[in-house]
Amino acid sequence: MNNFTPKYFRSRFSLLLSSFFFFVFFVLFRFSVIAQNPDIKRTYHWYFGKSGGIDWISGNPVLDYSSNGELCEGPSSISDLNGNLLFYTDGDTVWNRNHQIMPNGVGLLGCTSSMQASLIIPQPGNDSLYYIFTTDGIFGSPCGNGSLGMNYSIVNIKMGGGLGDVVIKNILLFDTCSEKLTAVHHANNCDVWVLGQNKYNSDYRIYLLTDTGISNAIVQQSSIINGGIAQDGSGQMRFSNDGKKLANNISIWGADTLEIWDFDNATGVFSNPFKISLENTPTSSNTWLGLCFSPDNSKLYINNFSFDTLVEIDQFDLSSGIPSQIISSRTTIAQVDSTIFLNPQIGPDGKIYLTKYNLRTYSVDSLSGIMNPNAAGLACNFQYNALKHNAQLPYDNVGYWSLPDFVESYLNPMFTGSVCESGIEENSFADIFSIYPNPAPDYIWIKITSEKPKNSYDVLIYNILGKEIFEKKEINNKEEKISLKNITDNILLLQIYYNNQIIHYKLIKT
């Protein structure tokens, strides 16, 4: 007999007791979910500035000065699921876990003075390939004024004895980009949305990275400007770590505006935008650049940039979901003189850290922090010197402009970790076929490893959208050369039909 009947719930005590157990179950379940986010270990090594870094393996931030890089702005790093460093980059150069430059690891097209110059993302369902997305800077040398565009390169971490090689470099996604780049997981907890923005008209360009490669862009106009009205393209944009919001700073000839969207991480569609003017403050003549959601996504922090006047950090409370209330919730949590803050970042400890540079002492002797970022107003507890650097090091060894960027989902306490099963089964066919080279230039060879094929076989090649782009039937040769000259796609699926079997093979074209 079912105990949970209307009669059972007539007992007030039983109702309270069942409510209590439900509450306990909910709390335990919630904390068990928080504890199940293995992907946070992807963020356990930060590298920034000249030899600056933080090691999070102990659970607390420990300053790490082992980097050989000089990472001015927009660095990114990646660790494995055990928290061991794999590699890091400034958008131009890639260093392996031994802090050595990877083979082919120089000359990526991310500008070292771009605010979000680089972002490393493991390919879903693949334990070998890591994509490095890069953005050009918007100003002069060493950047290309955005014209070098948003690109991606690929690291195979299993090459070089496990230290990694850059196997694909500088594949253009679109040109005239801004300095903005952010990513968050798809609703399926496997694929990853990657977002860039056009420098001139602020069009958003969003791509989906899957186990088969990168989709074509979904293009959506900004709600603030469109039709080619110029903006400077600096600043940051970020997804909330639950993939439900996007925040973006947009500068239109000095009139800075914060744009906030709803985001559907199942479809890649933005909706319900609203704008917040960043004028009418003591520092309104300056540029607003860095921004960061709180770990629970209820607050948004934004900071400005100035060489000669006050610099401030503001908080917006997003919890009401009502634009007018969000705008009126604006609270200045810090206001300092002669200090530059840039690129706030959530740490694995749930606090927000900011790199800072003191223009009077020419020092970067500490990181600032927001110790309780989910709390409203001044209760968030901003600390100017939250993490002290080694006082014996010169100022240029630990600072510069930015902390590393990560896929935002990695720092979501409710994220259960990416769970991917490749949609393409790579059959083991070493005893039948050998396909090389891969990555391929403008051709591949298909070689039969046995004496001669017992029957003819067919070869088909598809792009990542599933469109057939090549077909050759009834091949009987022991070695067959396939030309790829007329194929413009970079990520391909090759299928061999042989003896009533379909053999799948992923192919990268350089």
Side-chain angles (χ1 to χ4, degrees), residues 257-460:
T257 303
L258 176 64
E259 182 178 48
I260 299 177
W261 293 80
D262 290 337
F263 179 66
D264 185 336
N265 64 343
T267 64
V269 174
F270 298 95
S271 61
N272 303 320
F274 72 92
K275 298 170 279 190
I276 300 175
S277 171
L278 297 176
E279 298 178 354
N280 303 319
T281 71
T283 55
S284 62
S285 63
N286 304 303
T287 299
W288 292 80
L289 291 177
L291 54 80
C292 187
F293 287 89
S294 61
D296 69 355
N297 302 302
S298 69
K299 310 295 185 297
L300 179 66
Y301 294 89
I302 181 169
N303 60 273
N304 71 334
F305 170 91
S306 173
F307 282 108
D308 52 12
T309 59
L310 290 174
V311 172
E312 69 182 61
I313 304 172
D314 286 0
Q315 180 199 83
F316 290 92
D317 191 331
L318 308 176
S319 57
S320 69
I322 302 172
S324 60
Q325 293 186 23
I326 292 172
I327 294 170
S328 64
S329 73
R330 182 175 185 170
T331 303
T332 298
I333 65 163
Q335 196 172 83
V336 297
D337 186 20
S338 302
T339 297
I340 298 172
F341 294 114
L342 283 176
N343 195 3
Q345 179 59 274
I346 301 173
D349 60 354
K351 301 172 183 177
I352 293 177
Y353 293 88
L354 303 93
T355 184
K356 67 185 180 69
Y357 180 79
N358 191 301
L359 296 170
R360 290 183 176 175
T361 62
Y362 302 105
S363 67
V364 282
D365 61 349
S366 67
L367 294 177
S368 294
I370 302 171
M371 301 292 100
N372 190 17
N374 294 332
L378 298 180
C380 71
N381 187 17
F382 170 80
Q383 292 186 9
Y384 185 71
N385 294 316
L387 188 58
K388 193 75 173 176
H389 287 306
N390 186 335
Q392 303 303 312
L393 290 175
Y395 75 89
D396 63 349
N397 272 68
V398 288
Y400 291 170
W401 303 97
S402 296
L403 297 175
D405 273 323
F406 302 99
V407 176
E408 298 295 341
S409 323
Y410 292 164
L411 293 158
N412 178 5
M414 300 299 291
F415 187 59
T416 57
S418 54
V419 181
C420 302
E421 293 184 5
S422 174
I424 301 173
E425 283 293 325
E426 288 196 17
N427 306 74
S428 174
F429 54 88
D431 59 337
I432 306 175
F433 292 98
S434 173
I435 298 177
Y436 61 90
N438 189 19
D442 56 1
Y443 65 89
I444 57 169
W445 283 96
I446 300 177
K447 181 178 179 180
I448 304 297
T449 56
S450 59
E451 289 296 321
K452 188 178 181 181
K454 295 179 180 180
N455 299 299
S456 64
Y457 60 93
D458 303 338
V459 173
L460 289 87

Side-chain angles (χ1 to χ4, degrees), residues 134-243:
T134 59
T135 62
D136 188 19
I138 61 169
F139 298 111
S141 180
C143 307
N145 295 311
S147 62
L148 299 180
M150 180 171 159
N151 294 265
Y152 71 87
S153 302
I154 300 177
V155 168
N156 188 327
I157 200 61
K158 291 188 177 179
M159 297 181 69
L163 295 176
D165 286 4
V166 180
V167 294
I168 300 289
K169 193 158 67 174
N170 299 328
I171 304 300
L172 180 67
L173 291 171
F174 69 97
D175 57 14
T176 59
C177 69
S178 73
E179 296 185 358
K180 301 172 184 180
L181 173 63
T182 186
V184 74
H185 273 88
H186 187 281
N188 63 18
N189 281 10
C190 175
D191 304 326
V192 180
W193 295 107
V194 184
L195 182 66
Q197 191 176 34
N198 188 283
K199 172 183 176 181
Y200 292 116
N201 60 19
S202 290
D203 281 353
Y204 293 101
R205 293 178 177 267
I206 190 161
Y207 303 84
L208 187 63
L209 177 62
T210 72
D211 63 342
T212 58
I214 301 171
S215 70
N216 291 338
I218 301 172
V219 180
Q220 185 161 342
Q221 286 187 337
S222 165
S223 68
I224 297 177
I225 57 174
N226 52 57
I229 302 174
Q231 62 146 327
D232 68 16
S234 60
Q236 283 186 299
M237 66 180 176
R238 288 200 174 191
F239 285 114
S240 59
N241 61 48
D242 61 0

